[in-house]
C-alpha cells in the first residue's frame, strides 16, 4: 500500500476529536501519521508522539516549525489535520497552506468570516486541496439522499426541516470537560457555542443535500442552562434563493438525544428523511403517503462510499474515512473535482453563523446571509 504521510496539530492526550480522526484515517488504509505537534505542553506532546509511534525528530514544539521543516523534507507530509479550538484554526491553516501543504481542518473553519474567506482564497491560489471535516456528509445513505434530490425524482423542494439535539451540556453542574470549557469561552469559540459547534453541521448538511443557496435567516439564540455564557439552544428560520423555506432547531440540553441530527425534505412528489440515529436507512414517502425504507446496496459503494451496516467500526469513523479517501484521492489527482466539503463550504457556514448572530442580536429579525 502506498500510504500518504500526514501530520496533526492538536489531538493530544486530553482530547478525543484527534483520536477519532486518527481512527478514521487508519480505517481508510490510505494514510499514515508521521509528524505532529499534539500539545502546547512539552511533556504531553512527546507523550502523544511516543504513543502514536511518531519519530522524536518529527514531534515539533510548534506548528510553525512543523510546517517549515516538513515542507523541506523530501519525505515530508502531504497534508495536515487541524484539530484545535476554533480560534487557532486560521493561523495554523494559513501557515501550512503557505508552506505548500494541503489542509484538513475541523469545523467551523474560523471565528471570523474574513479569515475563512482568506483561507479559501489562499488554498485556491496555491491550488492546494482543503477539506473542512463536516463528517456526516460522508455517510453512504446521506450521499444517496443527495443524489435522489439532485435527480428530481421527488420533484421540486418545498420545505426543509432539520434538527440537531444533544444532551451533553444539559447538566448545569458540569462544564462538559475540556471541550465544553473552550466551546463556552467566547475568545476561543468565536462568540457562539451551540450554533457554531453543531448548527454549522446543520447548515452544511442541508446545503450539501439540497444544493439550495441560503439567502436569509431569522435566528433566536438562547442561553438556557444556568451558569452558561454562550448559546445552548438555537432556532433558525431559513429562506433560500428559489423561495423555499425551512427551520432548524439546535440544542445541547435535550435529554433523550445523544447525537441526533435529522433532516426532512418535503417536495412536490414526495418526501425523504435521514438522520444519525439510523444512518444506514433512508425513509421515503411518495405522493400517496406510501413509505419505503432504503438500505445500502453493495453495488453503490463506489458511488456513495462505504456503509456502516454490519461493520465493527463506529458509523462516525466510516463516514469520516469516506471523506478522507476522497480528500486523499484529490491530493493525488488535483485535476479531478473535489467531492468533499471544501474551504468554500467552510466560508458558507461562517456566513450562516455571522448572519444568525446578527439576527439574534437585533432581536430576531430577517438578515441576509
Amino acid at each position: 500500500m502506498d500510504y500518504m504521510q500526514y501530520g496533526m496539530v492538536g489531538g493530544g492526550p486530553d482530547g478525543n476529536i484527534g483520536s477519532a480522526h486518527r481512527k478514521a484515517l487508519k480505517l481508510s488504509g490510505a494514510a499514515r501519521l508521521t509528524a505532529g505537534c499534539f500539545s502546547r505542553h512539552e511533556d504531553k506532546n512527546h507523550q502523544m508522539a511516543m504513543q502514536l509511534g511518531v519519530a522524536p525528530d518529527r514531534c515539533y514544539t510548534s506548528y510553525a516549525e512543523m510546517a517549515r521543516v516538513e515542507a523541506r523534507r523530501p519525505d515530508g507530509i502531504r497534508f495536515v489535520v487541524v484539530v484545535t479550538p476554533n480560534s487557532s484554526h486560521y493561523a495554523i491553516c494559513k501557515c501550512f497552506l503557505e508552506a505548500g501543504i494541503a489542509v484538513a481542518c475541523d469545523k467551523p473553519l474560523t471565528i471570523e468570516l474574513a479569515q475563512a474567506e482568506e483561507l479559501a482564497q489562499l488554498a485556491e491560489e496555491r491550488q492546494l486541496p482543503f477539506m473542512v471535516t463536516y463528517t456526516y456528509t460522508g455517510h453512504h445513505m446521506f450521499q444517496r439522499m443527495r443524489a435522489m434530490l439532485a435527480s428530481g425524482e421527488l420533484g421540486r423542494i418545498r420545505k426543509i426541516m432539520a434538527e440537531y439535539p444533544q444532551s451533553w451540556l444539559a447538566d448545569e453542574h458540569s462544564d462538559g470537560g475540556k471541550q465544553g470549557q473552550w466551546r463556552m469561552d467566547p475568545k476561543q469559540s468565536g462568540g457562539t457555542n451551540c450554533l457554531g459547534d453543531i448548527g454549522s453541521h446543520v447548515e452544511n448538511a442541508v446545503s450539501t443535500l439540497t444544493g439550495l443557496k441560503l439567502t436569509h435567516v431569522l435566528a433566536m439564540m438562547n442561553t438556557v442552562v444556568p451558569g452558561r455564557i454562550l448559546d445552548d439552544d438555537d432556532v433558525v428560520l431559513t429562506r433560500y434563493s428559489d423561495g423555499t423555506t425551512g427551520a432548524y432547531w439546535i440544542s445541547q440540553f435535550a435529554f433523550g438525544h445523544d447525537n441526533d441530527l435529522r433532516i426532512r425534505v418535503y417536495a412536490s412528489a414526495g418526501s425523504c428523511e435521514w438522520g444519525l440515529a439510523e444512518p444506514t436507512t433512508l425513509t421515503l414517502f411518495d405522493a400517496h403517503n406510501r413509505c419505503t425504507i432504503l438500505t445500502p446496496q453493495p453495488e453503490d459503494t463506489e458511488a456513495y462510499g462505504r456503509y456502516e451496516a454490519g461493520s465493527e467500526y463506529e458509523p462516525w469513523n466510516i463516514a469520516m474515512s469516506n471523506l478522507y479517501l476522497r480528500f486523499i484521492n484529490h491530493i493525488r489527482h488535483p485535476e479531478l473535482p473535489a467531492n468533499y466539503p471544501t474551504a468554500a463550504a467552510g466560508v458558507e457556514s461562517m456566513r450562516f453563523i455571522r448572519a444568525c448572530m446578527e439576527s439574534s442580536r437585533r432581536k430576531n429579525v430577517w438578515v441576509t446571509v
Side-chain angles (χ1 to χ4, degrees):
M1 171 67 69
D2 182 19
Y3 292 102
M4 182 175 290
Q5 294 193 56
Y6 79 95
M8 179 171 282
V9 178
D14 297 329
N16 57 16
I17 191 65
S19 174
H21 280 257
R22 292 190 293 266
K23 287 179 181 177
L25 279 156
K26 184 177 182 180
L27 177 60
S28 77
R32 184 173 60 193
L33 179 64
T34 57
C37 176
F38 305 104
S39 174
R40 292 171 295 179
H41 304 285
E42 184 178 356
D43 56 339
K44 293 181 179 181
N45 190 25
H46 288 287
Q47 173 192 339
M48 201 74 238
M50 183 178 298
Q51 180 180 326
L52 297 172
V54 172
D57 67 328
R58 299 183 78 175
C59 175
Y60 299 94
T61 57
S62 72
Y63 67 81
E65 178 193 18
M66 177 177 163
R68 182 177 65 254
V69 174
E70 288 294 321
R72 294 174 180 172
R73 290 180 66 113
D75 62 345
I77 59 172
R78 297 288 302 279
F79 68 95
V80 65
V81 177
V82 180
V83 284
T84 59
N86 304 347
S87 59
S88 62
H89 290 178
Y90 167 72
I92 297 171
C93 293
K94 182 179 180 181
C95 184
F96 280 90
L97 289 174
E98 290 178 337
I101 296 172
V103 173
C105 182
D106 200 20
K107 54 77 215 165
L109 182 51
T110 56
I111 62 172
E112 297 292 344
L113 175 58
Q115 294 176 338
E117 291 173 333
E118 182 181 344
L119 290 178
Q121 182 177 352
L122 183 57
E124 183 178 0
E125 290 173 351
R126 300 296 177 96
Q127 297 184 331
L128 289 169
F130 193 126
M131 179 169 72
V132 182
T133 52
Y134 286 108
T135 315
Y136 310 129
T137 63
H139 282 284
H140 181 102
M141 295 308 288
F142 178 98
Q143 288 294 330
R144 190 167 176 186
M145 179 174 170
R146 179 189 186 188
M148 180 172 292
L149 289 169
S151 73
E153 181 178 340
L154 296 178
R156 181 187 178 279
I157 295 174
R158 291 173 168 174
K159 194 72 163 183
I160 301 164
M161 302 296 291
E163 61 180 40
Y164 197 163
Q166 297 177 334
S167 59
W168 73 292
L169 288 176
D171 183 359
E172 63 184 271
H173 302 295
S174 171
D175 60 8
K178 182 178 180 180
Q179 183 174 175
Q181 291 164 12
W182 75 254
R183 290 195 183 282
M184 281 292 179
D185 179 355
K187 293 182 179 179
Q188 295 189 75
S189 68
T192 171
N193 165 43
C194 188
L195 188 79
D197 182 17
I198 56 178
S200 60
H201 270 303
V202 174
E203 181 279 327
N204 179 261
V206 170
S207 173
T208 303
L209 279 173
T210 66
L212 296 180
K213 173 70 174 176
L214 184 62
T215 59
H216 297 82
V217 296
L218 187 157
M220 182 169 60
M221 299 171 63
N222 300 310
T223 304
V224 177
V225 177
R228 297 282 147 76
I229 299 174
L230 299 177
D231 59 302
D232 52 17
D233 184 80
D234 306 296
V235 176
V236 184
L237 301 182
T238 58
R239 193 157 62 226
Y240 305 87
S241 57
D242 68 345
T244 301
T245 60
Y248 306 160
W249 170 53
I250 309 112
S251 181
Q252 292 174 322
F253 59 72
F255 286 119
H257 298 277
D258 178 27
N259 194 48
D260 203 6
L261 172 66
R262 184 168 299 275
I263 301 168
R264 299 184 297 277
V265 177
Y266 300 92
S268 58
S271 66
C272 54
E273 177 179 338
W274 176 87
L276 289 178
E278 297 182 7
T280 60
T281 64
L282 173 58
T283 303
L284 304 177
F285 286 92
D286 65 15
H288 301 285
N289 281 322
R290 292 175 298 204
C291 179
T292 302
I293 297 178
L294 301 182
T295 56
Q297 301 300 313
E299 60 268 23
D300 294 333
T301 300
E302 184 174 349
Y304 306 131
R306 291 176 294 179
Y307 52 88
E308 303 85 357
S311 173
E312 62 182 295
Y313 296 97
E314 291 290 329
W316 190 99
N317 293 122
I318 295 177
M320 181 65 88
S321 176
N322 284 334
L323 289 187
Y324 271 116
L325 282 169
R326 296 169 193 159
F327 176 62
I328 291 168
N329 188 55
H330 192 217
I331 295 175
R332 295 188 190 279
H333 305 284
E335 72 280 2
L336 298 176
N339 60 346
Y340 53 83
T342 64
V347 170
E348 289 305 309
S349 287
M350 286 305 304
R351 288 179 178 149
F352 164 74
I353 292 169
R354 292 301 128 185
C356 287
M357 292 177 70
E358 180 183 350
S359 172
S360 188
R361 185 170 56 249
R362 291 170 55 188
K363 306 301 181 183
N364 324 121
V365 298
W366 284 102
V367 169
T368 302
V369 177

